[in-house]
């Protein structure tokens, strides 16, 4: 466990980095839409995640994984009172965390202050794996604080939190990937998991579709809480991606993305 903790950053980077490289290769070989994008778009999305990671590191001294190890030492959280077998604890942690992130995402669409941060993710006008990295630093800080609170309440193990974090980041890349998944595979996969076709609906310019399909890993939450839209009304190839108020290329620079939450849409440019 100590080795796991010491090498948390390296383990995450290797796992998630490999998924990204694999998806970029798949996108090149078998793209679904091959959206036209502004020059440098992918690098700006990567730059935004690096800025976010740097800010989180400075502001929050403990990652959720390190905090879970501390909580275990001190006996904080429900699970430390129960003493469940490791595999039961892992299964429970993955379910609870995925459900909690579903509600966080749904709240981000309905609470105006949270939407100002989250719309930075939605203002991208193209859909590819790097969109899974594009989140405003303020949203990442809030989401990390939310995970710390969940760890404090439930007492998930450090290993479970690390597995969830790697799965969450990998699914964020996969579900935004511009990859052609055969229709029959997609139909089977989406019974359990969020797929790129399922999640692309969430990036539609039509608000009814933007406010749907909030799930990150499991598709069950959207079915259970009646927020799923199976297919986009304009078709997967015809649908427009992004937000009506952020279509000017000047709203897509790194500086504009960082300012998006604090300015009204018409002032971004
Ligand atoms: Zn969203």
């Amino acid at each position: 466990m100590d080795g796991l903790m010491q090498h948390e950053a390296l383990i995450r980077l290797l796992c998630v980095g490999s998924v990204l490289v694999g998806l970029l290769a798949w996108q090149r070989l078998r793209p679904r839409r091959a959206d036209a994008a502004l020059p440098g778009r992918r690098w700006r999305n990567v730059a935004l995640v690096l800025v976010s990671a740097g800010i989180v590191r400075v502001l929050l001294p403990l990652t959720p994984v390190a905090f879970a190890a501390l909580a275990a030492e001190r006996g904080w959280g429900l699970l430390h009172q129960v003493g469940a077998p490791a595999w039961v604890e892992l299964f429970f942690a993955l379910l609870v965390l995925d459900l909690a992130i579903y509600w966080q995402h749904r709240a981000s669409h309905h609470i105006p202050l949270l939407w100002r941060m989250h719309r930075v993710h939605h203002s991208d006008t193209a859909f590819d794996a790097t969109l899974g990295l594009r989140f405003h630093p303020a949203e990442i800080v809030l989401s990390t604080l939310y995970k710390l609170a969940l760890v404090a309440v439930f007492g998930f193990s450090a290993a479970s939190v690390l597995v969830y974090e790697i799965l969450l980041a990998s699914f964020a890349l996969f579900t935004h990937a511009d990859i052609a998944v055969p229709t029959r595979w997609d139909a089977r996969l989406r019974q359990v998991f969020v797929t790129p076709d399922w999640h692309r609906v969430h990036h539609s310019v039509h608000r009814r579709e933007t406010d749907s399909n909030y799930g990150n890993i499991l598709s069950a939450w959207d079915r259970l809480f009646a927020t799923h839209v199976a297919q986009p009304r304009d078709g997967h190839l015809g649908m427009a991606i992004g937000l009506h108020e952020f279509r000017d290329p000047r709203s897509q620079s790194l500086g504009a993305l960082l300012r998006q939450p604090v300015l009204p849409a018409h002032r971004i440019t």
Side-chain angles (χ1 to χ4, degrees):
M1 180 56 71
D2 286 348
L4 186 85
M5 296 296 307
Q6 276 175 6
H7 301 297
E8 179 197 338
L10 185 63
I11 294 169
R12 287 164 67 127
L13 188 67
L14 284 177
C15 292
V16 180
S18 310
V19 171
L20 178 59
V21 169
L23 288 170
L24 289 175
W26 189 351
Q27 289 187 157
R28 187 170 275 255
L29 292 171
R30 291 286 310 278
R32 177 76 155 113
R33 291 163 45 101
D35 290 338
L38 294 169
R41 170 190 161 273
R42 284 181 177 173
W43 288 111
R44 274 191 298 281
N45 287 349
V46 171
L48 192 62
V49 79
L50 294 177
V51 171
S52 296
I55 290 175
V56 168
R57 199 177 166 85
V58 169
L59 291 183
L60 304 173
L62 279 182
T63 64
V65 174
F67 185 62
L70 180 70
E73 265 177 39
R74 308 276 166 92
W76 296 338
L78 290 175
L79 287 164
H80 295 299
Q81 319 305 321
V82 178
W87 69 270
V88 174
E89 193 273 328
L90 173 65
F91 188 71
F92 178 76
L94 297 183
L95 272 185
V96 170
L97 284 166
D98 203 48
L99 175 60
I101 300 293
Y102 164 89
W103 280 106
Q104 181 206 355
H105 189 185
R106 199 165 156 182
S108 300
H109 279 241
H110 295 284
I111 298 174
L113 184 66
L114 298 183
W115 172 247
R116 277 177 170 262
M117 299 170 210
H118 185 58
R119 71 186 183 187
V120 176
H121 175 66
H122 279 272
S123 64
D124 202 338
T125 52
F127 189 90
D128 103 307
T130 64
L131 178 48
L133 303 170
R134 173 172 157 143
F135 293 94
H136 193 273
E139 184 173 17
I140 301 285
V141 168
L142 274 182
S143 135
T144 307
L145 287 171
Y146 181 57
K147 286 182 207 152
L148 292 174
L150 289 165
V151 169
V153 170
F154 289 98
F156 304 124
S157 71
S160 296
V161 177
L162 180 59
V163 169
Y164 183 72
E165 294 264 78
I166 290 171
L167 279 175
L168 181 66
S170 301
F171 264 81
L173 297 173
F174 169 69
T175 58
H176 293 94
D178 181 36
I179 51 177
V181 177
T183 312
R184 65 180 188 287
W185 288 18
D186 178 86
R188 282 184 191 166
L189 262 180
R190 65 165 58 196
Q191 296 300 318
V192 180
F193 298 111
V194 177
T195 66
D197 274 7
W198 175 277
H199 188 70
R200 195 180 305 101
V201 176
H202 183 74
H203 284 268
S204 159
V205 287
H206 302 307
R207 192 73 206 205
R208 162 81 185 89
E209 294 180 345
T210 314
D211 293 341
S212 74
N213 298 10
Y214 298 106
N216 295 282
I217 297 177
L218 299 173
S219 59
W221 312 125
D222 284 296
R223 296 181 209 280
L224 188 63
F225 300 112
T227 51
H228 72 291
V229 171
Q231 304 294 340
R233 75 183 200 208
D234 299 331
H236 286 289
L237 300 184
M239 66 181 286
I241 302 290
L243 300 173
H244 289 303
E245 61 268 43
F246 295 108
R247 304 209 80 78
D248 187 316
R250 286 173 297 175
S251 70
Q252 301 292 328
S253 69
L254 184 59
L257 295 182
L258 289 166
R259 289 197 306 277
Q260 269 187 24
V262 291
L263 291 176
H266 68 275
R267 296 254 330 262
I268 299 294
T269 53

